[in-house]
Amino acid sequence: MQLPEPYFTRVFKPVLFILLLSPALYYGVAFWQDQLGANPLEAIIRGLGDWGLRILLITLLVSPLRRVLNWPQVLRTRRMLGLFAYFYVVLHLLGYLWFDQFFDWEEIWFDILERPFITVGMIAFVLLTPLAITSTKGMIRRLGKKWKHLHTLIYPASILAVLHFWWMVKLDKREPLIYAFILAILLGERLFRKVRSTKRYTSLRRH
Ligand code: HEM
């Protein structure tokens, strides 16, 4: 599969950009129009967290999609997707710091240490930060092979993000279970390919 180049850069990517921005616009407008229910700030924090996680998983879908559809162009959406995932996570974190904790740093520190779901959320955020910082073309060039290695941090970050949601929910675990299932498929496929290629390599060396 291959989209004509002008169509990919002038239509596909801008449409994807607008789609990725639309949840943020939705929450902005809905808040403005007072349509977010009895606890709008909680709805915003949760909604931003949901979108951060969803887009993170979509980012992980890009490389299997390239193989399945034989569509190399799709790799060129990965940076945009990853940065949007980070964008939503940063807004989600800001929402928590501001609306939940009113920037009370002592309370925030206590929360990070005392509530496991906040601890793992924070670690996931910390792991994603160098990925966002090193996403520019200059950084990719400068870091060379190390860049690829560094960007494998997306795997533990995604696992911790799902765990964060899993531990946050006390009773009905159905929604985090769906995310966990999708993540297990995305990571399982990678692991399977890695094991297969290592086996092939060792059997080639033996013969
Ligand atoms: C990769 C990073 C993160 C992702 C993907 C993420 C995602 C999520 C998701 C999906 C939810 C559940 C939303 C729902 O109920 O539908 C959630 C809830 C929550 N997250 Fe995160 N999160 C991340 C990091 C953080 C960090 C760093 C903090 C704060 C230090 C945080 C604080 C919270 C809080 C307080 C809730 C519960 C909101 C409420 O009940 O009002 N998250 N997050």
Side-chain angles (χ1 to χ4, degrees), residues 42 46 49-50 89 92-93 96 117 121-122 124 161 164-165 168:
E42 188 189 280
R46 288 188 167 210
D50 284 336
V89 169
H92 172 67
L93 172 60
Y96 160 82
F117 96 92
M122 202 64 204
H164 167 69
F165 192 4
M168 189 214 97

